[in-house]
Amino acid sequence: ADAPSLGGLKGQQLENVPVWNGNASAKYLFNPLPGFDGFLRADGQYVGASYPDLARPDPATFQRAYALLDLRSGIIHGAWEANLFVTNVLGKQAALSQYLSDNYAATTRTRMFTNRPRTVGMSLQWNF
């Protein structure tokens, strides 16, 4: 149904909700040494285009589609696991949410939330 108080019409794409989303993962397992298990993993995410509000008064607020790629490699031995990872491998800066500030002194300033930048790291885990 129409939502006149929100400026929305029946069948219109919802605020901040893309029409298409998807993700995929691939994992390769191997044995580098006796008693050790290793893996390589790739995770991809696609998020379609969306709008921050139903009115869509400003085409500049259109939030473009984006894709992210994460990679991880690890080794497991008994209760221990060590991983090397890179998130947002391609360094994509995606617009996650855009809105006008509700701060009285800055009501005309648009604010933008973005995804995390490329991050490289290592994690260690012990299961007990």
Side-chain angles (χ1 to χ4, degrees), residues 58-123:
D58 182 1
T61 64
F62 177 74
Q63 294 164 195
R64 298 187 186 280
Y66 62 91
L68 302 174
L69 174 66
D70 298 338
L71 299 175
R72 181 175 291 267
S73 178
I75 193 161
I76 303 166
H77 179 67
W80 291 93
E81 181 175 338
N83 292 271
L84 297 174
F85 62 87
V86 181
T87 59
N88 191 9
V89 172
L90 304 174
K92 177 70 178 174
Q93 184 177 11
L96 304 180
S97 180
Q98 186 168 348
Y99 67 97
L100 287 175
S101 174
D102 59 359
N103 179 334
Y104 178 76
T107 56
T108 59
R109 294 186 183 169
T110 300
R111 307 289 189 208
M112 177 65 71
F113 289 105
T114 63
N115 60 308
R116 292 180 72 174
R118 180 182 304 122
T119 305
V120 178
M122 183 175 107
S123 66

Side-chain angles (χ1 to χ4, degrees), residues 47-62:
V47 177
S50 66
Y51 292 90
D53 56 51
L54 293 170
R56 298 180 174 91
D58 182 1
T61 64
F62 177 74

Side-chain angles (χ1 to χ4, degrees), residues 2 11 16 23 26 28 37 43 46 70 74 80 104-105 113 116:
D2 290 347
N16 294 307
N23 58 50
Y28 174 71
D37 295 315
D43 298 299
Y46 171 80
D70 298 338
W80 291 93
Y104 178 76
F113 289 105
R116 292 180 72 174

